[in-house]
Short mmCIF file of all heavy atoms in Angstrom, two decimals:
data_model
loop_
_atom_site.label_atom_id
_atom_site.label_comp_id
_atom_site.label_asym_id
_atom_site.label_seq_id
_atom_site.Cartn_x
_atom_site.Cartn_y
_atom_site.Cartn_z
N ILE P 277 73.45 23.57 54.42
CA ILE P 277 72.41 24.38 55.15
C ILE P 277 72.35 23.59 56.55
O ILE P 277 72.13 22.42 56.56
CB ILE P 277 71.21 24.52 54.51
CG1 ILE P 277 71.36 25.30 53.16
CG2 ILE P 277 70.24 25.25 55.45
CD1 ILE P 277 70.14 25.54 52.31
N GLY P 278 72.41 24.32 57.56
CA GLY P 278 72.36 23.75 58.93
C GLY P 278 70.76 23.91 59.42
O GLY P 278 70.20 24.93 59.19
N PHE P 279 70.36 22.84 60.08
CA PHE P 279 69.10 22.78 60.80
C PHE P 279 69.34 22.34 62.28
O PHE P 279 69.73 21.13 62.46
CB PHE P 279 68.14 21.76 60.17
CG PHE P 279 67.90 22.13 58.60
CD1 PHE P 279 68.73 21.64 57.64
CD2 PHE P 279 66.85 22.96 58.27
CE1 PHE P 279 68.55 21.92 56.27
CE2 PHE P 279 66.64 23.17 56.92
CZ PHE P 279 67.50 22.76 55.97
N ASP P 280 69.04 23.28 63.16
CA ASP P 280 69.10 22.88 64.66
C ASP P 280 67.85 22.16 64.98
O ASP P 280 66.81 22.71 64.79
CB ASP P 280 69.33 24.01 65.44
CG ASP P 280 70.85 24.43 65.63
OD1 ASP P 280 71.67 23.60 65.17
OD2 ASP P 280 71.17 25.52 66.30
N PRO P 281 67.95 20.94 65.50
CA PRO P 281 66.71 20.13 65.83
C PRO P 281 66.16 20.52 67.12
O PRO P 281 66.01 19.69 68.13
CB PRO P 281 67.25 18.67 65.85
CG PRO P 281 68.71 18.87 66.33
CD PRO P 281 69.20 20.25 65.74
N THR P 282 65.67 21.79 67.24
CA THR P 282 65.00 22.35 68.48
C THR P 282 63.56 21.91 68.62
O THR P 282 62.95 22.37 69.54
CB THR P 282 65.16 23.86 68.46
OG1 THR P 282 64.84 24.42 67.35
CG2 THR P 282 66.69 24.17 68.66
N ALA P 283 63.04 21.32 67.63
CA ALA P 283 61.61 20.79 67.65
C ALA P 283 61.52 19.49 66.89
O ALA P 283 62.47 19.06 66.26
CB ALA P 283 60.67 21.86 67.07
N SER P 285 59.82 18.84 64.38
CA SER P 285 59.35 19.08 63.01
C SER P 285 60.05 20.27 62.43
O SER P 285 60.31 21.29 63.05
CB SER P 285 57.82 19.22 62.83
OG SER P 285 57.33 19.60 61.49
N LEU P 286 60.26 20.21 61.06
CA LEU P 286 60.63 21.54 60.36
C LEU P 286 59.51 22.42 60.43
O LEU P 286 58.40 21.93 60.53
CB LEU P 286 61.09 21.20 58.93
CG LEU P 286 62.37 20.32 58.81
CD1 LEU P 286 62.57 19.89 57.40
CD2 LEU P 286 63.61 21.08 59.28
N HIS P 287 59.68 23.70 60.23
CA HIS P 287 58.59 24.65 60.11
C HIS P 287 58.61 25.47 58.89
O HIS P 287 59.54 25.33 58.04
CB HIS P 287 58.52 25.45 61.44
CG HIS P 287 59.81 26.21 61.81
ND1 HIS P 287 60.15 27.34 61.03
CD2 HIS P 287 60.71 25.99 62.70
CE1 HIS P 287 61.38 27.80 61.35
NE2 HIS P 287 61.73 26.95 62.43
N VAL P 288 57.62 26.44 58.78
CA VAL P 288 57.51 27.19 57.52
C VAL P 288 58.72 28.03 57.30
O VAL P 288 59.12 28.33 56.11
CB VAL P 288 56.23 28.00 57.51
CG1 VAL P 288 56.26 29.12 58.55
CG2 VAL P 288 55.94 28.61 56.12
N GLY P 289 59.39 28.48 58.47
CA GLY P 289 60.66 29.27 58.25
C GLY P 289 61.72 28.46 57.65
O GLY P 289 62.67 29.07 57.12
N HIS P 290 61.71 27.07 57.65
CA HIS P 290 62.76 26.37 56.96
C HIS P 290 62.47 26.17 55.42
O HIS P 290 63.35 25.64 54.74
CB HIS P 290 62.80 24.94 57.61
CG HIS P 290 63.31 24.98 59.06
ND1 HIS P 290 62.64 24.32 59.99
CD2 HIS P 290 64.49 25.44 59.57
CE1 HIS P 290 63.37 24.44 61.26
NE2 HIS P 290 64.52 25.07 60.93
N PHE P 291 61.28 26.51 55.08
CA PHE P 291 60.90 26.01 53.74
C PHE P 291 61.66 26.60 52.60
O PHE P 291 61.91 26.06 51.49
CB PHE P 291 59.35 26.21 53.48
CG PHE P 291 58.80 25.49 52.24
CD1 PHE P 291 58.96 24.13 52.19
CD2 PHE P 291 58.19 26.27 51.30
CE1 PHE P 291 58.57 23.47 51.04
CE2 PHE P 291 57.73 25.47 50.25
CZ PHE P 291 57.92 24.08 50.00
N ILE P 292 62.03 27.92 52.80
CA ILE P 292 62.94 28.69 51.77
C ILE P 292 64.16 27.86 51.57
O ILE P 292 64.61 27.65 50.46
CB ILE P 292 63.18 30.10 52.08
CG1 ILE P 292 61.78 30.94 52.17
CG2 ILE P 292 64.21 30.72 51.20
CD1 ILE P 292 61.34 31.14 50.76
N GLN P 293 64.84 27.47 52.69
CA GLN P 293 66.02 26.75 52.60
C GLN P 293 65.88 25.40 51.89
O GLN P 293 66.71 25.01 51.05
CB GLN P 293 66.61 26.50 54.03
CG GLN P 293 67.48 27.63 54.52
CD GLN P 293 66.44 28.53 55.33
OE1 GLN P 293 65.68 29.24 54.72
NE2 GLN P 293 66.77 28.64 56.64
N VAL P 294 64.75 24.69 52.18
CA VAL P 294 64.43 23.47 51.50
C VAL P 294 64.26 23.61 49.99
O VAL P 294 64.81 22.90 49.19
CB VAL P 294 63.19 22.75 52.24
CG1 VAL P 294 62.79 21.51 51.37
CG2 VAL P 294 63.47 22.43 53.58
N MET P 295 63.39 24.72 49.61
CA MET P 295 63.27 25.07 48.19
C MET P 295 64.69 25.29 47.47
O MET P 295 64.86 24.91 46.44
CB MET P 295 62.38 26.31 48.05
CG MET P 295 60.94 25.99 48.51
SD MET P 295 60.01 27.54 48.61
CE MET P 295 59.98 28.08 46.85
N VAL P 296 65.53 26.05 48.24
CA VAL P 296 66.86 26.27 47.58
C VAL P 296 67.68 25.07 47.36
O VAL P 296 68.23 24.72 46.31
CB VAL P 296 67.63 27.31 48.55
CG1 VAL P 296 69.15 27.49 47.98
CG2 VAL P 296 66.98 28.65 48.48
N MET P 297 67.63 24.25 48.36
CA MET P 297 68.28 22.92 48.25
C MET P 297 67.78 22.01 47.04
O MET P 297 68.52 21.48 46.35
CB MET P 297 68.22 22.13 49.43
CG MET P 297 68.85 22.72 50.76
SD MET P 297 68.70 21.76 52.23
CE MET P 297 69.79 20.40 52.03
N PHE P 343 63.41 15.04 60.98
CA PHE P 343 63.90 16.01 59.96
C PHE P 343 64.17 15.33 58.69
O PHE P 343 63.79 15.72 57.54
CB PHE P 343 65.00 16.90 60.46
CG PHE P 343 64.75 18.01 61.35
CD1 PHE P 343 63.53 18.09 62.10
CD2 PHE P 343 65.66 19.10 61.50
CE1 PHE P 343 63.21 19.17 62.93
CE2 PHE P 343 65.35 20.13 62.40
CZ PHE P 343 64.17 20.16 63.06
N GLN P 346 61.24 14.17 56.71
CA GLN P 346 60.54 15.36 56.12
C GLN P 346 61.45 15.83 54.84
O GLN P 346 60.92 16.05 53.77
CB GLN P 346 60.36 16.47 57.13
CG GLN P 346 59.31 16.11 58.11
CD GLN P 346 59.19 17.20 59.16
OE1 GLN P 346 60.13 17.81 59.59
NE2 GLN P 346 57.94 17.43 59.71
N LEU P 347 62.67 15.94 55.04
CA LEU P 347 63.57 16.47 54.07
C LEU P 347 63.55 15.57 52.81
O LEU P 347 63.68 15.93 51.64
CB LEU P 347 64.89 16.73 54.39
CG LEU P 347 65.17 17.93 55.35
CD1 LEU P 347 66.52 17.93 56.01
CD2 LEU P 347 65.05 19.22 54.59
#
Side-chain angles (χ1 to χ4, degrees):
I277 297 178
F279 301 90
D280 273 353
T282 52
S285 173
L286 296 169
H287 54 72
V288 68
H290 291 124
F291 194 56
I292 293 293
Q293 279 87 295
V294 176
M295 290 170 65
V296 168
M297 292 176 81
F343 277 23
Q346 291 176 320
L347 286 168

